[in-house]
Amino acid sequence: MIPILYDSSEISFQSNGLGRLADCIECTVEEQRNGIYECQFVYPMDGDKFSEIQEGRIIAVTHDEGGDIQPFDIYGHSAPIDGKVTFYAHHVSYRQSGITVKPFSADTCANTLAKFVTEAIDNNPFTYWTDKAVTANYTLSVPKPVNSLLKSDTDSILSVYGKGEYEFDKFTVKLYTNRGADNGVTIRYGKNLVDLTDEM
């Protein structure tokens, strides 16, 4: 897919935005379970729309078998090398680091996630969903950013309601008990594992 450039205020991603970056040389997305979710792309300085690729704008790309585009906020770039610039972007879900939630209490995982919107000090454009039906008392005693409440070791959803796996889909945060599926495959040496290297 050809990446699409959008203004920083875009939320629907239904159009071609500021245009498609047809001259993009390389684009990779790295997503780790409950971890980083970043995009890196290389663009020639003489390419169409190069001057419009700016920090704060959004690049939207597909990166999995679902084929749906995901938006990434451009936050930096390298110095030009041989007329090419590498741009760095992180998923729009990182914006939750700037959304602070007031102290609150809740009794289920779903209710806790809902409070991230209703108890936000500023507007929270994200929506939250979970398949976890766990009941437990959650109390936030001091204001904290949403991103910290999702993933930190203390006061996080996972520390109170147990393990889970996040999916960040545009402005929707989905918390699954298990994001994937167990297909019954086991790893066996000599069958589907033919080599192993141990590095210390």
Side-chain angles (χ1 to χ4, degrees):
M1 178 215 167
I2 298 173
I4 306 172
L5 186 67
Y6 291 97
D7 193 58
S8 61
S9 59
E10 181 66 37
I11 57 171
S12 66
F13 308 101
Q14 299 297 314
S15 70
N16 281 326
L18 299 174
R20 291 183 175 265
L21 302 179
D23 295 322
C24 187
I25 297 168
E26 178 184 328
C27 183
T28 57
V29 173
E30 181 180 2
E31 179 183 13
Q32 296 178 0
R33 181 176 60 189
N34 295 347
I36 66 169
Y37 196 3
E38 300 210 354
C39 175
Q40 182 175 309
F41 65 100
V42 180
Y43 210 79
M45 296 180 70
D46 59 358
D48 186 35
K49 301 193 182 304
F50 175 80
S51 62
E52 295 186 49
I53 305 173
Q54 302 169 9
E55 291 182 22
R57 287 192 168 161
I58 297 170
I59 180 174
V61 299
T62 60
H63 74 291
D64 60 17
E65 64 278 356
D68 195 17
I69 64 171
Q70 289 298 325
F72 295 82
D73 288 318
I74 300 169
Y75 67 84
H77 61 84
S78 70
I81 299 175
D82 294 330
K84 302 168 189 170
V85 176
T86 301
F87 290 90
Y88 308 97
H90 44 225
H91 194 266
V92 293
S93 61
Y94 280 52
R95 293 182 184 184
Q96 293 173 104
S97 296
I99 301 170
T100 303
V101 177
K102 298 179 286 189
F104 69 87
S105 295
D107 57 356
T108 67
C109 186
N111 288 343
T112 301
L113 288 169
K115 295 280 188 176
F116 291 174
V117 176
T118 61
E119 300 303 315
I121 292 174
D122 297 313
N123 178 50
N124 184 350
F126 290 86
T127 57
Y128 301 87
W129 172 92
T130 185
D131 67 357
K132 293 175 70 70
V134 181
T135 299
N137 290 327
Y138 181 97
T139 301
L140 178 65
S141 55
V142 295
K144 285 194 174 180
V146 173
N147 209 40
S148 170
L149 299 177
L150 291 173
K151 301 179 184 180
S152 72
D153 292 332
T154 58
D155 292 332
S156 76
I157 290 278
L158 300 181
S159 67
V160 174
Y161 297 108
K163 73 177 187 105
E165 298 176 3
Y166 289 106
E167 177 186 2
F168 300 101
D169 181 12
K170 298 184 183 77
F171 287 91
T172 300
V173 178
K174 302 173 185 178
L175 175 58
Y176 297 92
T177 303
N178 292 296
R179 186 171 165 185
D182 184 353
N183 294 325
V185 176
T186 58
I187 299 173
R188 296 184 180 171
Y189 186 74
K191 183 156 178 93
N192 55 7
L193 175 66
V194 294
D195 189 22
L196 178 66
T197 302
D198 184 16
E199 295 182 8
M200 294 297 219

